[in-house]
Amino acid sequence: MQTIIFRLVFLFFSACASCVAFAEETYLQPEQAFQFSARMLDTSTVEVRYQIADGYYLYRERFAFSAEGARLAAPVIPAGKVKFDQTFNKTVETYRHEVRITLPVIADAPFRLKATSQGCADLGLCYAPQEALIQLDPASAASVSSSTVPSASQPADTSEMGRIEASLASGRLLLILPLFFLLGLGLSLTPCVLPMVPILSFIIVGDGVHSSRQRGFLLALTYALGMALVYTLLGIAAGLVGEGLSASLQNPLVLGSFALLIALLSLSMFGLYQLQVPPSVQLLLSRLSERQRGGKFVGVFIMGALSALIVGPCVAAPLAGALVYISQTRDVFIGGSALFAMAMGMSVPLLLLGLSAGTLLPRAGHWMNAVKPFFGVIMLALALWMVASLIPAALLMLGWGLLSLGYGAFLLRTKTSGLVARLLGALFILLGLTQLTGVATGGRDAFAPLAHWSARPVSAAVFVRVKTSSDLDALIRNAQGRPVMLDFYADWCVSCIEMEKLTFTNQKVAAAMRGMLLVQADVTANDASDKALLKRFGLFGPPGIIFFDKSGNEVRAARVIGYQAPERFLQSVKLVNE
């Protein structure tokens, strides 16, 4: 078994290395080949700067500038290098590495500058003209970067995303792998990973008399490797495509299929059928490896791979950082290694669960018969949770309530139940009655079924919805001197719902956001407008929160990727309100 695992890992990284060689022949995205930034040198002068990647150049004659809310004089452009350009069959003036252009400006208030440029690569590709928009404030006369590419003159980004991006940019695997493993360990108790615990428990408990510590650990390791490899490949695909796969993985077909699979597997825990590989397949697999009993490890590896569909849609800062790195550099080896290390960090609780076989989990015997129905109920509850975004909240509560009542009644009516089992049965009945009472009285939150009874409910944050970049720009311009918070949300995003129910409703957070213009982009549909808005801010999916200061400039250090508890989220809000 160990040999097969090592071969799988070796083949994976060999494939990544091949992808690196291919990626080196690809072209940079235009915003990476020609990085734009601008700042106010003084109250009447703008400096525009283009940082040009090696192997690329810009044309002097293609520069154009306009302003909304200000008047511009003729730009002062330094002399470039004159060459004969075979693409246009004429002599042109070009710039490499860097060019700085000054623009005299007359403005009494913040204004928006539009800069147009065009360039080519030495290998023969010529880009379409590129436009960059930026808001500038003459009163501040301070450096401001564009909303999509950070200015080189800005101070170092000390946010979590900034540190993650810096570590990836270093290219040092000895730094990247331990860091992402620890970041994955921090994500290991999130709602994205917890659903895999009952699945793995079902696998180990169902293994019967063979659930020794060594075998339990090998089963867990096989499951974790299957999850980590598919998770990494999904991340690499998302990075190379340039957009997240979250919405694709959250469509009704994928969710419904996986929920049905979990429900069918749960039925074996109730003794309705015996889950095993056909005898002919067992014989073939046993010949391949005597240590693989009936193809058990192969099936566990496949289950881990399928479980990556649960983990993949969860967006957090480390995942977002790795995807941005892959999309910008096309370096799938560094980015993929970081994703793999993070996935293995998230697997630590699963490995501990496997290592504990025989202590935390019961061995075969009478206890096994008592525990199997418990895991069956948990897996049915998990199947309902997976399709929660597709069904009414009341139906989820009703399903969980009936499951709890049924299992509680089963424990109380079983003649061989001891005191602990009876207490557990009473607890399940109480949980079931709570869910049903919540449904009957108008509650629609399965995790807080009686919250609507609260005497002092915290008012939900009121957001203005936007769909396109132009809608967002119009709101920022008309914010009347208020900071702006842009929240990316989707109905299928578990962390988004956590932010709504646990963070935004916190009294301190609500008070801190009171002076802001709250804007929300609902990207549930994942249509072209949603993708364009996500791409503008380098996001691969929700949740993501972008803050703009009173002048309409993004406060990049305050960016929030993934779920944040109220205390931590308040720190980001304070950065904007200061």
Side-chain angles (χ1 to χ4, degrees):
M1 180 58 208
Q2 291 92 332
T3 302
I4 291 180
I5 292 175
F6 289 138
R7 285 179 179 176
L8 286 170
V9 176
F10 175 76
L11 289 173
F12 166 73
F13 283 106
S14 297
C16 286
S18 301
C19 290
V20 172
F22 172 77
E24 289 176 352
E25 299 179 0
T26 61
Y27 296 96
L28 293 176
Q29 295 293 323
E31 61 267 20
Q32 297 303 315
F34 316 108
Q35 296 186 21
F36 166 83
S37 62
R39 62 171 182 163
M40 297 296 303
L41 287 179
D42 53 48
T43 57
S44 59
T45 308
V46 176
E47 180 187 69
V48 172
R49 178 187 180 191
Y50 287 94
Q51 193 73 26
I52 306 168
D54 292 339
Y56 296 80
Y57 55 91
L58 285 172
Y59 294 104
R60 177 191 179 107
E61 65 182 29
R62 303 302 294 173
F63 288 129
F65 305 95
S66 62
E68 181 180 331
R71 287 190 298 165
L72 299 178
V76 179
I77 306 176
K81 181 179 180 180
V82 178
K83 57 168 280 189
F84 182 80
D85 194 305
Q86 295 181 349
T87 304
F88 294 102
N89 195 31
K90 66 178 181 179
T91 299
V92 295
E93 194 170 353
T94 62
Y95 301 89
R96 294 181 180 271
H97 306 305
E98 182 187 69
V99 58
R100 299 190 183 209
I101 303 169
T102 55
L103 293 169
V105 60
I106 300 176
D108 299 323
F111 64 95
R112 291 178 65 79
L113 174 70
K114 181 171 78 171
T116 303
S117 62
Q118 186 177 17
C120 294
D122 289 337
L123 294 179
L125 174 69
C126 277
Y127 293 88
Q130 302 296 314
E131 292 184 353
L133 294 172
I134 187 169
Q135 177 123 350
L136 299 170
D137 186 357
S140 65
S143 174
V144 184
S145 69
S146 78
S147 60
T148 54
V149 181
S151 170
S153 59
Q154 279 191 310
D157 188 349
T158 58
S159 65
E160 182 181 9
M161 274 295 293
R163 292 192 294 269
I164 290 170
E165 291 171 357
S167 69
L168 288 167
S170 71
R172 296 164 55 193
L173 285 176
L174 291 178
L175 169 65
I176 295 169
L177 296 184
L179 172 63
F180 272 78
F181 182 85
L182 291 175
L183 291 171
L185 184 61
L187 296 172
S188 62
L189 297 179
T190 63
C192 296
V193 179
L194 288 178
M196 289 188 288
V197 173
I199 298 175
L200 183 60
S201 301
F202 153 75
I203 291 171
I204 297 174
V205 171
D207 203 38
V209 296
H210 301 285
S211 294
S212 64
R213 288 181 184 273
Q214 180 182 3
R215 184 171 178 82
F217 179 76
L218 286 176
L219 287 171
L221 179 60
T222 305
Y223 180 90
L225 281 173
M227 181 273 292
L229 286 173
V230 174
Y231 178 81
T232 302
L233 292 174
L234 286 173
I236 290 174
L240 293 177
V241 170
E243 58 193 37
L245 299 180
S246 301
S248 300
L249 294 176
Q250 292 291 323
N251 68 60
L253 180 60
V254 173
L255 288 177
S257 299
F258 204 84
L260 180 61
L261 174 62
I262 296 298
L264 291 175
L265 289 174
S266 72
L267 297 181
S268 71
M269 306 303 278
F270 300 109
L272 296 183
Y273 67 90
Q274 185 67 31
L275 183 65
Q276 62 180 9
V277 178
S280 59
V281 179
Q282 290 187 30
L283 179 61
L284 175 63
L285 292 172
S286 63
R287 288 175 179 174
L288 294 176
S289 174
E290 293 182 358
R291 303 189 67 177
Q292 292 186 44
R293 184 174 177 81
K296 185 74 175 181
F297 286 103
V298 175
V300 171
F301 184 88
I302 293 173
M303 281 300 298
L306 291 174
S307 296
L309 299 179
I310 300 176
V311 181
C314 294
V315 176
L319 173 60
L323 297 186
V324 169
Y325 177 82
I326 293 171
S327 69
Q328 293 179 353
T329 67
R330 323 300 284 182
D331 189 341
V332 298
F333 183 73
I334 295 292
S337 299
L339 288 172
F340 185 82
M342 184 173 68
M344 292 307 298
M346 291 190 293
S347 301
V348 168
L350 305 177
L351 298 177
L352 293 177
L353 180 65
L355 190 62
S356 69
T359 53
L360 293 181
L361 295 176
R363 295 179 184 271
H366 172 70
W367 278 101
M368 175 84 64
N369 297 328
V371 169
K372 277 190 172 183
F374 170 77
F375 282 117
V377 170
I378 295 298
M379 294 182 75
L380 285 175
L382 172 61
L384 277 172
W385 177 80
M386 291 190 64
V387 295
S389 61
L390 308 178
I391 61 177
L395 187 57
L396 175 64
M397 296 174 67
L398 181 62
W400 280 3
L402 293 177
L403 273 175
S404 298
L405 281 178
Y407 184 59
F410 166 78
L411 290 176
L412 291 178
R413 294 186 61 182
T414 302
K415 295 180 180 180
T416 57
S417 296
L419 178 61
V420 174
R422 292 181 180 277
L423 290 175
L424 188 61
L427 176 61
F428 269 91
I429 286 180
L430 178 61
L431 292 175
L433 290 174
T434 302
Q435 291 286 348
L436 296 180
T437 302
V439 172
T441 57
R444 292 299 179 265
D445 185 351
F447 295 96
L450 303 180
H452 59 293
W453 287 5
S454 175
R456 295 179 59 189
V458 179
S459 299
V462 179
F463 289 88
V464 179
R465 288 289 179 91
V466 295
K467 187 66 177 177
T468 65
S469 286
S470 58
D471 295 339
L472 174 63
D473 292 336
L475 284 172
I476 293 175
R477 284 195 302 270
N478 299 319
Q480 299 178 343
R482 289 180 293 169
V484 177
M485 185 183 93
L486 170 62
D487 172 43
F488 282 92
Y489 168 88
D491 291 339
W492 39 259
C493 170
V494 175
S495 297
C496 299
I497 297 173
E498 283 187 300
M499 289 294 293
E500 273 200 348
K501 295 184 179 298
L502 304 178
T503 301
F504 295 159
T505 56
N506 179 273
Q507 292 185 358
K508 292 183 179 179
V509 171
M513 296 192 306
R514 196 163 292 136
M516 292 182 168
L517 174 60
L518 305 180
V519 181
Q520 189 173 74
D522 186 343
V523 296
T524 302
N526 195 39
D527 56 25
S529 297
D530 297 340
K531 293 177 181 178
L533 198 56
L534 285 165
K535 185 177 181 179
R536 169 177 171 176
F537 296 100
L539 298 177
F540 286 79
I545 298 178
I546 311 297
F547 292 96
F548 303 88
D549 62 21
K550 296 178 180 179
S551 299
N553 305 310
E554 184 191 343
V555 184
R556 190 172 177 82
R559 274 195 175 200
V560 174
I561 305 294
Y563 170 75
Q564 284 191 358
E567 296 76 15
R568 187 178 176 191
F569 183 72
L570 272 173
Q571 298 175 9
S572 298
V573 177
K574 288 178 181 178
L575 286 175
V576 183
N577 287 333
E578 288 178 351

